[in-house]
Amino acid sequence: MSTAVIKDYVREERSEAVEKPSRAWHYAAGSAAGFAVLIGLAFVIGKPDPTRAETGITMQSREVAQLKTLSTGKQAESIVEGTSAQERNALIPVSGSPVQRMGAFNAIGQGTGAHNTALKCLTQAIYYEAANEPLQGKRAVAQVVLNRLRHPAYPGSVCGVVYEGVNKPVCQFSFTCDGSLARTPLANKWGESRKVAEAALAGFVEPSVGSATHYHADYVLPRWAFTLDKIEKIGLHIFYRFPGSAGQPRAFTRGWSGREAIPAIDRTHWLTAIAETEPVYTPGTTVTPDVKDRHAPTDVGGRIDTTKTWRLSIPDPVNSGGSYQASLAAQGEIDSQGTAQ
């Protein structure tokens, strides 16, 4: 993508009105486990040093392993979900450290097989993670993927980042292992996502999330939300970076691996995931729910679900009882013995 095209892309961004949250952020105490992890990492990662030249830092494997514990295992568990999660997420304060702009990523030559594969993986991540998010939200997800690629704690390729853990019990991007890929994407949303991915691979940088490597929807609250630095909320997603020097731009020293490949996927994970989320229907008897089903339980004008306890029946006007007989009696059309006159 040429410089002129990227400039047009930026102009398009500025023309889109993105609503910013007006509510002030307040402090909330984090989980004890989260703070314990942070205390242990303070000796390894350290605080940002403004006097240190931005020439990059080198992390040992021990340091990288400790970084990964921030958002894995028990730290990945959700504390609460739903409206309560949104309220508690809003109470976590935004980091006081400035958000620093990341450098452009354009290491993959356009028109190459590697670029085409990386483009597909990045488009998938944007589509399945943020198809209904605002444009800025889509760009922020793309930025997280590319940030991870350049951080030593993650794989060094676009597809490696997106598909990390795909055949393990826990994957990094849930859409790769929950069966979402089995569903055909909507053409218009896919096109929007691809456009964002193309720009990101050509060097476009989303400045609002800086060096973010994590995000989650605001209707869940994972334990790790208390251990990372909160940066920004865009749409339904809240973005975070590693604490200390590990979350600063100089820590993102890894170069692109030079290879892109989509791993073979164990689709039994998909079948299990889909079976857990899809409603179970009995062929020939169960009616698929529909918005037009908003009617009284026994309204014969609506669609009938024969799996329910009631059945449609037309009363016999001669040999009926109950309310029908009572109506006849009230009209003087039946004697005291119940015989029609």
Side-chain angles (χ1 to χ4, degrees):
M1 185 176 288
S2 66
T3 302
V5 174
I6 291 182
K7 287 182 178 178
D8 290 339
Y9 189 71
V10 174
R11 192 177 302 115
E12 177 186 340
E13 176 193 45
R14 290 172 178 169
S15 66
E16 177 181 319
V18 178
E19 182 180 356
K20 294 289 184 180
S22 58
R23 179 178 178 180
W25 298 100
H26 302 285
Y27 177 76
S31 65
F35 283 121
V37 173
L38 277 180
I39 292 173
L41 280 168
F43 297 100
V44 177
I45 302 173
K47 296 180 180 180
D49 182 3
T51 65
R52 185 173 182 176
E54 294 292 326
T55 56
I57 60 176
T58 301
M59 294 185 191
Q60 302 299 319
S61 58
R62 177 174 63 92
E63 297 171 333
V64 171
Q66 285 184 297
L67 285 174
K68 283 182 171 292
T69 66
L70 287 177
S71 58
T72 58
K74 288 186 68 65
Q75 288 299 102
E77 295 178 357
S78 179
I79 299 174
V80 67
E81 299 182 1
T83 304
S84 179
Q86 292 175 322
E87 295 172 350
R88 293 181 64 178
N89 276 314
L91 293 175
I92 300 176
V94 173
S95 171
S97 300
V99 177
Q100 299 183 37
R101 186 184 181 93
M102 296 294 289
F105 177 83
N106 53 10
I108 310 176
Q110 295 188 34
T112 63
H115 184 273
N116 293 337
T117 303
L119 178 60
K120 180 177 181 179
C121 289
L122 189 54
T123 302
Q124 287 177 329
I126 297 167
Y127 176 84
Y128 290 105
E129 295 285 308
N132 294 319
E133 290 295 289
L135 179 58
Q136 185 187 17
K138 292 181 176 66
R139 291 169 176 168
V141 167
Q143 189 66 48
V144 167
V145 173
L146 298 183
N147 285 349
R148 284 195 170 200
L149 182 158
R150 292 181 286 183
H151 199 283
Y154 300 99
S157 67
V158 175
C159 294
V161 167
V162 172
Y163 282 89
E164 184 178 9
V166 63
N167 291 321
K168 295 181 180 179
V170 178
C171 52
Q172 291 295 303
F173 289 83
S174 60
F175 77 89
T176 64
C177 55
D178 67 2
S180 295
L181 288 170
R183 300 179 176 88
T184 303
L186 299 174
N188 62 329
K189 294 292 185 180
W190 180 265
E192 294 172 1
S193 300
R194 181 185 172 91
K195 186 177 180 181
V196 172
E198 287 175 335
L201 293 176
F204 180 84
V205 176
E206 174 50 52
S208 63
V209 294
S211 56
T213 48
H214 297 70
Y215 63 86
H216 67 79
D218 69 352
Y219 47 81
V220 297
L221 177 58
R223 292 185 185 278
W224 59 255
F226 296 106
T227 68
L228 274 63
D229 286 352
K230 183 177 180 178
I231 297 177
E232 177 68 283
K233 183 177 187 293
I234 304 173
L236 294 180
H237 286 150
I238 306 173
F239 295 83
Y240 303 76
R241 67 185 171 212
F242 281 128
S245 297
Q248 299 302 306
R250 65 177 179 271
F252 294 73
T253 56
R254 170 176 295 204
W256 176 55
S257 66
R259 180 175 180 273
E260 293 288 344
I262 298 176
I265 300 176
D266 180 2
R267 294 174 183 257
T268 57
H269 285 278
W270 289 7
L271 296 176
T272 301
I274 292 174
E276 293 175 349
T277 58
E278 292 288 343
V280 178
Y281 298 120
T282 304
T285 61
T286 309
V287 178
T288 306
D290 187 89
V291 293
K292 296 185 292 296
D293 292 338
R294 296 173 181 173
H295 53 72
T298 56
D299 179 6
V300 297
R303 301 184 318 141
I304 303 170
D305 185 345
T306 56
T307 63
K308 303 300 182 183
T309 56
W310 63 275
R311 293 290 185 274
L312 173 65
S313 62
I314 300 175
D316 181 349
V318 176
N319 300 310
S320 59
S323 60
Y324 180 73
Q325 293 286 343
S327 297
L328 291 178
Q331 297 174 28
E333 297 179 3
I334 191 169
D335 58 26
S336 58
Q337 285 72 41
T339 304
Q341 295 179 354

